[in-house]
Amino acid sequence: ALPAARLWQEAAVLFEKQLGDPARAIGAYEKVAQLAADPSAMEALARLYEAAGEPLAAASWLEQRMSTGAPAEKRAAVAKLAQTYLEGGQRHRAVAALERALGEEPEASPLWVMLARLHREAGHHEALLRVLSSFSAHTQDPETVVANAREVLALCQEKLGDPALAVPVLERAVGLAPEERDLRLALADGLRASGRLAEARAVLEGLLQEYGRRQSRERAGLHLQIATVARAEKNADLAAKHLDQAAAVLLDSVDVQL
């Protein structure tokens, strides 16, 4: 089969490059793919079908291409397949192809980025949350995780109305980038909303310790938040202690109940 495949490969190149006959080139490349399962023939078929205005036929060859070759080649084929489905008006198939590939290779960051973009553009908030959460769990890049956490936080606050949903991504971000204080505050808020009160208080107390003894409105705000958590824990003494400390700076705050 391999000598025959080589002959058909030569014929396919001749039809495509020298004679400018894409129809006969397609027939020859299909013979190559049938005889040798050659990834380059599958890519050529996808290219020729796309140029002929048949994106779904192109996609069928890209689907086959996904099953062969090195991981980097497969990633490129999946991205191309998803784009081909989009151009053919088959968005759901693009999503399915990306999800299937990521199930096999969850470290493929470019595919996560593409999948997130599809859900973002479609306004699918829950799906976008799931994708950004899974992406964050499978990357070690702090910058990526922090960016994902900020988007997830905005999504949960503005679209989904539930800060508790952001907790897994925020925990991951804070673990990789503890210097991001605003994310630690958001994590404490999400933990409190989740009913994980002791953990929320631990996050806030950690932030409070970093301020040292200097008085500031930020420090007072932390005292207020700890008092809120302590109240939810039914710890009246601790709540009163932190309210007193907050009151030293925020005497005019309506949140302070002396």
Side-chain angles (χ1 to χ4, degrees), residues 3 8 16 22 25 54-55 62 65 67 72 95 110 119 122 128 140 156-157 164 176 182 203 212 224 226 246:
W8 280 111
E16 181 183 6
E54 297 186 50
L62 288 170
R65 174 67 181 86
S67 64
V95 169
H119 288 312
L128 178 57
Q140 299 297 322
C156 292
Q157 290 174 338
L176 291 173
D182 63 320
V203 171
L224 283 174
I226 295 172

Side-chain angles (χ1 to χ4, degrees), residues 10-257:
E10 291 172 6
V13 172
L14 178 68
F15 288 137
E16 181 183 6
K17 306 295 185 185
Q18 304 298 321
L19 301 180
D21 190 338
R24 295 176 74 186
I26 284 172
Y29 278 124
E30 286 178 340
K31 285 286 188 181
V32 177
Q34 178 185 349
L35 292 167
D38 186 335
S40 66
M42 297 173 191
E43 290 177 2
L45 285 162
R47 182 183 68 250
L48 288 167
Y49 273 117
E50 187 172 15
E54 297 186 50
L56 298 183
S60 72
W61 284 107
L62 288 170
E63 287 272 12
Q64 294 183 58
R65 174 67 181 86
M66 282 170 57
S67 64
T68 62
E73 294 174 342
K74 289 183 182 180
R75 284 196 296 273
V78 173
K80 179 62 177 171
L81 172 63
Q83 188 59 43
T84 301
Y85 274 136
L86 288 173
E87 290 168 0
Q90 301 283 318
R91 183 190 169 281
H92 63 290
R93 289 189 175 180
V95 169
L98 291 167
E99 288 177 343
R100 185 167 65 251
L102 285 165
E104 296 174 2
E105 191 191 359
E107 291 78 24
S109 293
L111 301 186
W112 284 117
V113 171
M114 189 174 190
L115 183 57
R117 176 173 60 81
L118 294 184
H119 288 312
R120 191 182 296 116
E121 290 174 351
H124 294 166
H125 306 310
E126 284 97 351
L128 178 57
L129 171 64
R130 288 195 301 272
V131 168
L132 292 174
S133 299
S134 296
F135 183 11
S136 298
H138 289 100
T139 180
Q140 299 297 322
D141 179 41
E143 195 172 314
T144 296
V145 176
V146 166
N148 287 348
R150 294 193 189 286
E151 183 172 1
V152 164
L153 183 59
L155 200 61
C156 292
Q157 290 174 338
E158 298 167 14
K159 303 295 184 183
L160 301 175
D162 186 356
L165 295 173
V167 166
V169 182
L170 289 169
E171 286 180 319
R172 178 82 170 138
V174 165
L176 291 173
E179 70 279 3
E180 300 290 344
R181 288 188 176 185
D182 63 320
L183 294 184
R184 288 163 70 188
L185 282 169
L187 173 59
D189 187 49
L191 289 168
R192 182 177 60 79
S194 303
R196 295 162 62 180
L197 301 174
E199 292 171 82
R201 180 161 49 79
V203 171
L204 293 168
E205 287 171 346
L207 284 164
L208 189 61
Q209 287 178 355
E210 292 176 10
Y211 276 96
R213 301 304 304 168
R214 68 183 185 277
Q215 297 292 337
S216 67
R217 293 187 68 84
E218 290 80 9
R219 182 182 175 86
L222 286 169
H223 282 300
L224 283 174
Q225 291 184 64
I226 295 172
T228 300
V229 174
R231 280 173 173 165
E233 292 179 300
K234 304 292 191 288
N235 190 334
D237 290 342
L238 183 62
K241 172 188 169 184
H242 283 282
L243 284 170
D244 285 343
Q245 289 173 305
V249 178
L250 300 176
L251 289 174
D252 60 341
S253 172
V254 295
D255 293 320
V256 178
Q257 304 293 324

